[in-house]
Amino acid sequence: MTETGKAIEVRNLTKVYPSKDAPIVALEDASFEVHEQEFISLVGHSGCGKTTIMKIIAGLLDKTRGEVLVNGARVTGPKSSTGIVFQTPVLFQWRTVIDNVLLPVEILGLSKEEYYPKALELLELTGLTEFKDKYPRELSGGMQQRASISRALVHDPSLLLLDEPFGALDAMTRGEMNMELQRIWSEKKKTSLLITHSIPEAVFLADRVMVMTPRPGRITDIIDIGLPRPRTPEMRLSAEFTECVRAVGKTIGLQYL
Amino acid sequence: MVERFKELGTITFSLILFTLLWEVSVRLLSVSEFLLPAPSVVALTIYEKFLPLMQNCLVTFRETIYGFLMGLVLGVISAIMIVYSRLLQNLLYPLILVAQIVPKVAIAPLLLIWVGYGEMSKVLIAFLVSWFPIIVTTVQGMRMVQPEMLDLVRSLQASDWQVFTKVRLPNALPHFFGGLKIAITLAVIGAIIGEFVGGNTGLGYLVMVANYEVNTPFMFAALVVLSALGLVLYGVLVLLEMWLIPWSIGDDEQEMTGFGM
């Protein structure tokens, strides 16, 4: 816990990629804050700089200008207090599910024995207990992504970064995974930043939705989602939900919603 | 597994059918033995000349294995150097490429002049042909890591050593085994080339002798033993692969490409 209660503070963040003709401004003057235990969704068109923001917060990418603080400390490089879930599961095919989940523990040099029960508990939470000794290729896409979520949580990071984690899944699995993620989040209470293309998904999961527009990447709006928790699949049909989706869609510039 | 046995059954069946057809047509058309001996004649020759065949097979086996192991060790070391140093990559790659492009049959006489007519020259040729596929596949395997995998371990502040042992090396294993399978079959051919060019032992030498004597059944016998040797060596690698990296999906078609002398 930080004194300010702010998990992420981003101020005037700018990222310019050098290029032969004209430098590409991926991100211009982005400023926002994420409170501890808050769930934030970041939506916007492809190539508007969503992943750039995430990578800078994760310390995987250098910024051009501005300031980024995670848990009150300036980000200068990767930090083990971050858990990342990518669009693809990125499981190591030569490791069993349980060994994949324990990968962060190994790399961080923590005691495997100590974390083994924790890994089991996470597999229980994601419904993968009976698959713990299987290899990734024996799992379905949804199961693989659940394993990668378990892996992102095993070293107890304070911040969970999700980069379009369900983008590669079919619509039905995606809906289920939304419920699953909400359950995990409400149990673990990790500050979460979800990048997604899907406005309904963004709304369904988030406390607040940040909207980005491309070229240059800018955060144009932050919308509070007042829907009660826990959110249920039925809520997706409610007028309040539709209203939130429409509000987010409008700021992106979608007319048909 | 059941599928595999079925496949094996089909292959065995087609082999038996082929042999039978061969036997029957040779007998019906009364083809001369020195043109094409019947399988039964070849089998009889193998039985009669079993000891010399095995003794020479052992020689070829030894040359192949030594050359292959040299290729394996030096191939892996070169691959690691190429992946981790741009300078070494620029220094080594042209050399490796030239060594690969020069026809081994053409430099075999040269090697014989350098290291003599003994087994060493055959080992060197087997090494030269098996080196290249091992390097290429291992380099490819270590390089073809999903970028997100590197991002993931980097986000956990993994050391270079951890990236090597936990990501690049295991990631390279399926490619590496593909390379080994190509290399072992090439190594057998390499050893035989050496024996053709000069020497007085080995299955290749037997083939030459049989050729001079126009003893076609004996030539066939040597060829059968030679093929069996290659098949067994290849099979051992397949078993090793299944045992060591059970998580990998065998993709034989991909591995079959890249053959060439």
Side-chain angles (χ1 to χ4, degrees), chain A residues 54-149:
Chain A
M54 194 208 81
K55 283 199 168 173
I56 293 174
I57 291 172
L60 291 171
L61 194 66
D62 289 330
K63 57 185 187 289
T64 308
R65 277 191 301 280
E67 200 171 30
V68 180
L69 283 80
V70 171
N71 298 323
R74 198 160 276 126
V75 173
T76 51
K79 270 195 172 173
S80 56
S81 56
T82 319
I84 306 181
V85 180
F86 299 91
Q87 178 167 11
T88 52
V90 199
L91 294 174
F92 291 20
Q93 52 159 335
W94 52 89
R95 284 167 170 260
T96 57
V97 169
I98 183 83
D99 283 338
N100 263 292
V101 173
L102 283 166
L103 177 82
V105 173
E106 256 176 59
I107 290 183
L108 294 169
L110 304 167
S111 151
K112 258 181 132 177
E113 276 166 36
E114 193 183 316
Y115 277 84
Y116 190 82
K118 201 166 158 28
L120 280 184
E121 180 207 312
L122 282 165
L123 287 178
E124 174 91 56
L125 184 69
T126 49
L128 290 173
T129 308
E130 54 184 311
F131 299 98
K132 73 180 175 66
D133 295 319
K134 297 260 186 233
Y135 285 106
R137 68 180 169 95
E138 300 172 278
L139 268 57
S140 71
M143 277 151 73
Q144 290 189 16
Q145 198 54 293
R146 295 208 295 258
S148 92
I149 293 173

Side-chain angles (χ1 to χ4, degrees), chain B residues 3-251:
Chain B
E3 280 294 310
R4 284 219 165 205
F5 278 121
K6 263 190 189 165
E7 243 172 62
L8 217 61
T10 321
I11 293 167
T12 318
F13 178 73
S14 75
L15 274 176
I16 292 172
L17 195 71
F18 175 73
T19 317
L20 273 177
L21 265 175
W22 177 359
E23 180 80 40
V24 168
S25 30
V26 166
R27 278 172 193 274
L28 280 182
L29 303 169
S30 28
V31 179
S32 148
E33 206 169 72
F34 92 92
L35 271 182
L36 182 65
S40 56
V41 176
V42 176
L44 192 71
T45 314
I46 293 176
Y47 176 74
E48 282 168 352
K49 299 276 175 66
F50 192 71
L51 198 64
L53 277 172
M54 283 307 119
Q55 279 165 342
N56 285 285
C57 179
L58 191 67
V59 173
T60 306
F61 169 75
R62 210 161 43 218
E63 293 161 353
T64 303
I65 286 296
Y66 286 161
F68 172 75
L69 288 179
M70 257 175 89
L72 194 159
V73 173
L74 288 174
V76 169
I77 293 173
S78 320
I80 292 170
M81 293 201 297
I82 285 168
V83 169
Y84 277 90
S85 161
R86 184 152 285 267
L87 177 71
L88 283 172
Q89 176 192 329
N90 294 338
L91 279 174
L92 279 176
Y93 241 142
L95 285 176
I96 293 166
L97 206 61
V98 167
Q100 171 65 10
I101 287 165
V102 173
K104 253 52 88 186
V105 192
I107 53 166
L110 190 62
L111 283 171
L112 258 64
I113 293 173
W114 284 347
V115 298
Y117 279 70
E119 281 181 28
M120 193 56 198
S121 55
K122 286 80 185 172
V123 170
L124 277 182
I125 297 166
F127 154 68
L128 277 177
V129 290
S130 54
W131 191 33
F132 189 73
I134 296 177
I135 293 182
V136 172
T137 52
T138 311
V139 166
Q140 188 188 25
M142 290 203 281
R143 287 227 174 108
M144 280 188 9
V145 174
Q146 218 185 327
E148 286 87 357
M149 251 180 209
L150 295 174
D151 269 349
L152 177 78
V153 292
R154 225 153 59 77
S155 81
L156 295 160
Q157 295 159 295
S159 64
D160 287 346
W161 178 245
Q162 282 177 320
V163 174
F164 177 65
T165 55
K166 294 197 190 298
V167 186
R168 291 201 188 274
L169 213 55
N171 193 72
L173 281 177
H175 303 262
F176 170 68
F177 267 99
L180 289 189
K181 284 194 261 179
I182 298 170
I184 195 74
T185 53
L186 291 182
V188 177
I189 301 172
I192 296 295
I193 289 175
E195 290 167 0
F196 272 4
V197 174
N200 49 18
T201 48
L203 287 170
Y205 170 72
L206 286 194
V207 172
M208 296 297 278
V209 169
N211 192 24
Y212 294 141
E213 295 172 352
V214 203
N215 186 349
T216 318
F218 188 48
M219 200 156 141
F220 266 88
L223 284 176
V224 168
V225 175
L226 184 56
S227 312
L229 173 67
L231 270 177
V232 167
L233 289 174
Y234 186 86
V236 167
L237 277 177
V238 171
L239 288 178
L240 264 178
E241 183 185 28
M242 276 159 59
W243 177 52
L244 289 173
I245 51 168
W247 42 268
S248 163
I249 318 147
D251 191 357

